[in-house]
Amino acid sequence: MVHIALIEDDKNMQAIIKNCMEREIRESEKVEIDVFGEAENFQKSLMEGKEYHIVFSDVELGSMNGIALAKVLREKWPEIYVIFVTAYSEYAVESYELDAYQYILKEHMEERLPVILRKVLNKIERERKRFRILKQEDGKEKVFYKDIIYIMKAKAAKYVRYITKNGEYRERNTLETVIRELNDDDFLKVDRSCIVNIKHIYKIKGNVIFMTDGTQIPVSRGHLTKVKREINLRWSRE
């Protein structure tokens, strides 16, 4: 199931946007759309444990606008695709600075929204096929790439540690082999003992990366220039 949140305080526009989405969703796809009139109510739903994959949000929303909401999502739920639906073109530049996946001007919604929604749905489907099987004491478990926050192996340690949204896993392997087998641009080596998932970085300050689980990871001097370049490239594309 793909869960979509639509945040729009105008009830007439809510119906128009939702209808535009529903026309693009295929009968074979399991998609649920929840509608919110305020960003605060949507955030409360997240805090209560509801999972969302895509958020379509207006910018002008009252006490907590779409820009402020996007900042919270980037820090705590960076895997959510944020799409602004706005009547004001001046918000487009700021939305890219916040890593919003896209923005849609309401006057062009009928043309652009279906295209962007399809692109994101297809991307989510591809992501669900990317996972790693890790052995545990009671068997094996499927760990999705998108849920891996960072991977590390201390000097002389036998096991590689996978720190994920759902807990920690261990695997007897080398970090170099893991990188080669992942073969994924989302994973970035920041020093000889650590790989991070770019999707779970919410800030970089100086030579320190701040991850979504609260971990602060120093970047080695030899990797710093490349790491900053890769992060900037990724954030500018998203």
Side-chain angles (χ1 to χ4, degrees), residues 5 34 36 39-52 77:
D34 290 344
F36 299 88
E40 291 89 344
N41 291 339
F42 164 68
Q43 192 175 2
K44 181 181 178 182
S45 182
L46 277 176
M47 297 298 290
E48 290 173 349
K50 181 68 183 283
E51 180 182 29
Y52 290 98
W77 295 276

Side-chain angles (χ1 to χ4, degrees), residues 174-207:
T174 67
L175 206 59
E176 288 71 24
T177 300
V178 171
I179 294 172
R180 185 171 64 253
E181 291 175 352
L182 288 172
N183 188 30
D184 192 288
D185 292 340
D186 284 344
F187 293 94
L188 185 61
K189 192 171 184 180
V190 297
D191 66 25
R192 66 179 64 185
S193 64
C194 186
I195 309 165
V196 302
N197 187 340
I198 292 179
K199 289 186 175 180
H200 286 280
I201 297 172
Y202 77 87
K203 182 171 70 173
I204 180 167
K205 185 175 181 180
N207 71 324

Side-chain angles (χ1 to χ4, degrees), residues 24-190:
E24 178 57 32
I25 296 168
R26 299 164 184 164
E27 289 187 9
S28 60
E29 292 176 319
K30 296 180 179 179
V31 179
E32 179 181 79
I33 303 171
D34 290 344
V35 180
F36 299 88
E38 298 177 349
E40 291 89 344
N41 291 339
F42 164 68
Q43 192 175 2
K44 181 181 178 182
S45 182
L46 277 176
M47 297 298 290
E48 290 173 349
K50 181 68 183 283
E51 180 182 29
Y52 290 98
H53 305 94
I54 310 171
V55 173
F56 285 85
S57 178
D58 194 359
V59 176
E60 296 288 346
L61 287 170
S63 59
M64 184 182 192
N65 67 23
I67 301 295
L69 175 65
K71 290 178 180 177
V72 173
L73 294 180
R74 183 174 69 176
E75 181 175 339
K76 296 183 177 180
W77 295 276
E79 69 276 11
I80 297 177
Y81 293 97
V82 180
I83 301 162
F84 287 129
V85 184
T86 178
Y88 304 101
S89 60
E90 61 264 30
Y91 287 119
V93 173
E94 190 167 4
S95 74
Y96 279 115
E97 291 174 355
L98 290 168
D99 307 326
Y101 189 75
Q102 276 284 3
Y103 77 96
I104 300 169
L105 289 177
K106 288 179 178 177
E107 62 182 292
H108 303 310
M109 185 181 64
E110 293 288 338
E111 306 139 27
R112 282 179 52 78
L113 190 148
V115 174
I116 292 172
L117 177 57
R118 174 51 47 200
K119 184 176 181 179
V120 178
L121 288 173
N122 290 344
K123 190 175 180 68
I124 290 171
E125 179 62 26
R126 289 195 300 271
E127 287 176 345
R128 289 180 171 177
K129 296 176 181 178
R130 296 158 64 220
F131 58 85
R132 190 169 179 83
I133 302 295
L134 297 177
K135 294 179 181 179
Q136 300 301 302
E137 292 182 1
D138 56 351
K140 297 180 179 180
E141 190 162 339
K142 182 187 292 185
V143 177
F144 290 94
Y145 285 11
K146 67 182 180 62
D147 293 332
I148 298 172
I149 300 171
Y150 62 94
I151 306 167
M152 66 186 312
K153 184 176 184 181
K155 187 177 181 180
K158 294 181 180 179
Y159 291 90
V160 173
R161 297 169 56 213
Y162 292 78
I163 311 302
T164 80
K165 288 174 56 181
N166 305 310
E168 181 175 332
Y169 300 84
R170 296 197 311 163
E171 176 185 51
R172 192 156 184 164
N173 210 338
T174 67
L175 206 59
E176 288 71 24
T177 300
V178 171
I179 294 172
R180 185 171 64 253
E181 291 175 352
L182 288 172
N183 188 30
D184 192 288
D185 292 340
D186 284 344
F187 293 94
L188 185 61
K189 192 171 184 180
V190 297

